[in-house]
Amino acid sequence: VSDLQTQELSLQIDRVGSEGQGVGADSQGNVYFVAGSVPGDKVRVLYRPTPRPVKYRDAELVAIEAPSASRHPSACQYFPECGGCDWLNWDYAEQLKAKESIVTHSLSKLGWVPQVRLPIVPAEQVLGYRTRIQVSRDGDRLGFYRRGTRSVVNVDHCAIARPELNALMTELRQEPNSGRAREELFIDTSGKAHRRSIDMYGLDFAQIHEAQNEKLRKMVADLIGQSQARTIIELFCGNGNLTFAYGERAEKIWAVDSSQRSIERANQAALAKGWERKAEFQVRNVGYALRHRLPAELSNSYDTLVLDPPRQGIGDSLREWVSKNLKNIFYVSCSPITFAQDITHIRDLYSLKSLQTIDMFPQTRHVEVVGWLQRHS
Ligand SMILES: C[S@@+](CC[C@H](N)C(=O)[O-])C[C@H]1O[C@@H](n2cnc3c(N)ncnc32)[C@H](O)[C@@H]1O
């Protein structure tokens, strides 16, 4: 790359951007987003000047000239080459502050300020917590994708995976190897480790941090309890992880997810609890027209909506789900950016009564939020 195409610059990183990158400004006030840096770092970066001046640009980290005082030696020898973690060499207390600030920025960009903002719920277990990992094989290499690529880094031990999964990974390493393959290793409810291949249909969803998931379930159940919800529609319900936490006091629940395997699990659990009459779990794709295909009696008679969509969110079809009787919405999201965009589609009808962040993914830039929206009276 010639000097004409790129330029180097030293920068002081002073905050975290909404994608978890470090952010710093030059003396003219131009802002640079630098993946791999954290607040407090002094870094050397490479950027590509544009014909017309732009205020915000991405820059590539060349070197850390002076590391932030809150960095420490990484708990993992494969970091940062392995792309699984973002912040393995950064103090956990700083990670939590950064996650709060990612949420604040995502919301304030669209003018949202919750009436009540509860402090982030930290994890006690910040290493060795993952109950599911996706491992890749390429010839005699077994591990995870190299940061930003699909090539495989050979990894003997994953610092954030549960010990049972690391033991299973050691076993897999003994097997004769054959080309490229991907598998999921996971721990079942009895604590036993298993493997399964990742087929073209993908995998059914399950939360990955047991202790944090219990806190999330309790948080959602407490909020829904406070709202006096009686009749509930839940979109993206998965295996009923949240449903079975909040459902005790509800009169009627209609819950959907596109995963057949997840809905089968939810139905088995409903049967075991004797909930067949009050909770109905169905395989449905939450799309633009789903609500219009529902019997009117169902779609107008619920007072509460619970949703926990994947990262892409629900989009403007959130508006389709709000009938005049719908008093409360509980929106659980792993992307504060799409959460803020989605709720903006119903801003004229609902206010953000409370918002809380919970750390489901220590050592990574990912954040989970739980928002309670209430219909204007
Ligand atoms: C973040 S998970 C939430 C699952 C559940 N609440 C839990 O805590 O385990 C998102 C769920 O959305 C489902 N999903 C993704 N796209 C969907 C769609 N278009 N319609 C219905 N469900 C969908 C996935 O199968 C997954 O179970």
Side-chain angles (χ1 to χ4, degrees), residues 205 207 236-239 241-242 257-259 284-286 308-310:
F205 178 89
Q207 301 283 354
F236 313 97
C237 66
N239 58 18
N241 178 48
L242 302 176
D257 194 280
S258 57
S259 160
R284 296 283 187 109
N285 208 357
V286 179
D308 181 7

Side-chain angles (χ1 to χ4, degrees), residues 118-165:
L118 295 157
I120 189 166
V121 179
E124 281 75 43
Q125 198 177 359
V126 298
L127 293 171
Y129 66 83
R130 273 196 86 115
T131 52
R132 278 190 305 135
I133 54 175
Q134 294 188 359
V135 294
S136 300
R137 194 190 275 285
D138 187 2
D140 52 7
R141 277 176 293 159
L142 179 78
F144 305 103
Y145 286 150
R146 180 169 281 110
R147 192 169 298 276
T149 74
R150 291 266 162 128
S151 76
V152 179
V153 183
N154 206 27
V155 171
D156 272 335
H157 180 268
C158 168
I160 62 167
R162 285 260 295 257
E164 300 92 321
L165 298 185

Side-chain angles (χ1 to χ4, degrees), residues 41-212:
D41 282 344
K42 184 164 183 247
V43 293
R44 186 130 200 101
V45 301
L46 195 66
Y47 71 98
R48 198 173 288 274
T50 46
R52 262 179 287 138
V54 287
K55 190 161 168 10
Y56 299 95
R57 47 167 69 112
D58 287 324
E60 189 187 321
L61 180 65
V62 176
I64 297 176
E65 293 178 329
S68 159
S70 55
R71 279 191 187 265
H72 54 66
S74 164
C76 169
Q77 69 182 100
Y78 307 103
F79 178 82
E81 187 188 5
C82 168
C85 296
D86 303 295
W87 290 337
L88 261 171
N89 62 351
W90 198 27
D91 278 359
Y92 186 57
E94 296 299 316
Q95 296 183 25
L96 294 173
K97 279 193 229 157
K99 292 187 187 209
E100 291 271 49
S101 120
I102 289 172
V103 174
T104 306
H105 277 284
S106 307
L107 289 172
S108 64
K109 251 192 229 165
L110 291 170
W112 284 101
V113 180
Q115 286 163 20
V116 176
R117 172 91 182 259
L118 295 157
I120 189 166
V121 179
E124 281 75 43
Q125 198 177 359
V126 298
L127 293 171
Y129 66 83
R130 273 196 86 115
T131 52
R132 278 190 305 135
I133 54 175
Q134 294 188 359
V135 294
S136 300
R137 194 190 275 285
D138 187 2
D140 52 7
R141 277 176 293 159
L142 179 78
F144 305 103
Y145 286 150
R146 180 169 281 110
R147 192 169 298 276
T149 74
R150 291 266 162 128
S151 76
V152 179
V153 183
N154 206 27
V155 171
D156 272 335
H157 180 268
C158 168
I160 62 167
R162 285 260 295 257
E164 300 92 321
L165 298 185
N166 275 309
L168 183 53
M169 205 152 63
T170 306
E171 274 175 41
L172 296 192
R173 201 172 285 287
Q174 314 309 321
E175 290 180 355
N177 51 68
S178 54
R180 282 184 79 100
R182 266 167 78 63
E183 282 187 80
E184 182 181 71
L185 312 188
F186 65 99
I187 297 183
D188 68 16
T189 44
S190 69
K192 201 167 169 336
H194 304 267
R195 60 194 286 198
R196 58 181 173 174
S197 70
I198 300 174
D199 60 27
M200 61 188 287
Y201 303 109
L203 296 165
D204 45 327
F205 178 89
Q207 301 283 354
I208 55 158
H209 194 309
E210 255 173 23
Q212 291 306 94

